[in-house]
Amino acid sequence: PQGSEEAKAFVNAFLKRSMPKKKDEAIQDILTRKAVVLEHYSKKKTKQKRKKTKGFTAKQRREMRLFEIEPEQQRYAIFLPLHELWKQYIRDLCHGLKPDAQPHVIQGKLLKADLHGAIVTVTKSKCPSYVGITGIILQEFKHVFKIITKEDKLKVVPKLNNVFSLEIDGFISYIYGSKFQLRASERSAKKFKLKGTIDL
């Protein structure tokens, strides 16, 4: 029945359970109003951590010899089709390499382009034995190029202290290896300065 002590006690207990963060005085103050808005506290859902797919570590890649080219595959003729694909890729990238194209625009695009398949020549080097090495770039790492020569020899040429020349459709570009020590994936997003001090 209305007005009974049991009902009053029930309401007070119910409100205290429903609004645990409020003090008794605040609850009594709320009771004087016409409407009571009950608070709802939802349980925090524990987020399930997604398992990231881990790739191979550098040590595992070395043990599995993922980047090694088998001796029977180290033949210049095998990679000539790769060079033809690279030339078409550069022509598309530079919109045809027309004679009236601005050299600095092409140079900027070549700096960010993928060089796997390009024929390069070491034109200058602090180590004379590297000068004159010409071949197709098979692999590009942060600090070295792996190049296959016409003599079917796989050469590992460091970028540091070497200058490489690259020719396509009469356009010759020079790559200063000391300024080029990046992985191919990082290089595509890097902003290169076209002016500055140039050294080996």
Side-chain angles (χ1 to χ4, degrees), residues 7-107:
K8 190 176 179 182
F10 170 79
V11 171
N12 284 332
F14 174 75
L15 290 175
K16 201 164 187 178
R17 282 199 308 273
S18 301
M19 295 182 283
K21 291 185 179 180
K22 293 194 180 294
K23 293 181 180 178
D24 291 341
E25 296 82 8
I27 293 173
Q28 291 300 324
D29 182 56
I30 290 170
L31 284 172
T32 59
R33 300 174 191 174
K34 291 183 179 178
V36 176
V37 179
L38 302 178
E39 297 176 12
H40 174 68
Y41 296 96
S42 58
K43 291 182 180 179
K44 288 184 179 180
K45 293 181 180 178
T46 53
K47 289 184 179 179
Q48 290 181 345
K49 291 183 179 179
R50 290 183 181 178
K51 290 183 179 179
K52 291 183 179 179
T53 53
K54 290 184 178 179
F56 295 119
T57 63
K59 186 180 178 182
Q60 287 173 324
R61 286 196 291 266
R62 283 195 298 272
E63 288 172 353
M64 295 171 73
R65 302 173 68 186
L66 289 179
F67 295 122
E68 289 189 24
I69 299 167
E70 298 297 327
E72 60 271 16
Q73 299 294 323
Q74 295 176 15
R75 288 190 289 138
Y76 186 82
I78 290 177
F79 297 99
L80 281 172
L82 175 65
H83 174 59
E84 292 301 319
L85 284 171
W86 180 82
K87 285 200 292 187
Q88 189 57 50
Y89 154 66
I90 293 298
R91 288 179 189 129
D92 293 343
L93 184 69
C94 300
H95 307 293
L97 285 171
K98 296 174 184 176
D100 59 345
Q102 295 179 337
H104 70 274
V105 174
I106 296 173
Q107 178 75 21

Side-chain angles (χ1 to χ4, degrees), residues 154-169:
L154 188 67
K155 302 279 187 179
V156 179
V157 183
K159 294 179 181 180
L160 186 67
N161 300 328
N162 286 325
V163 180
F164 304 85
S165 67
L166 183 151
E167 190 271 334
I168 178 169
D169 296 347

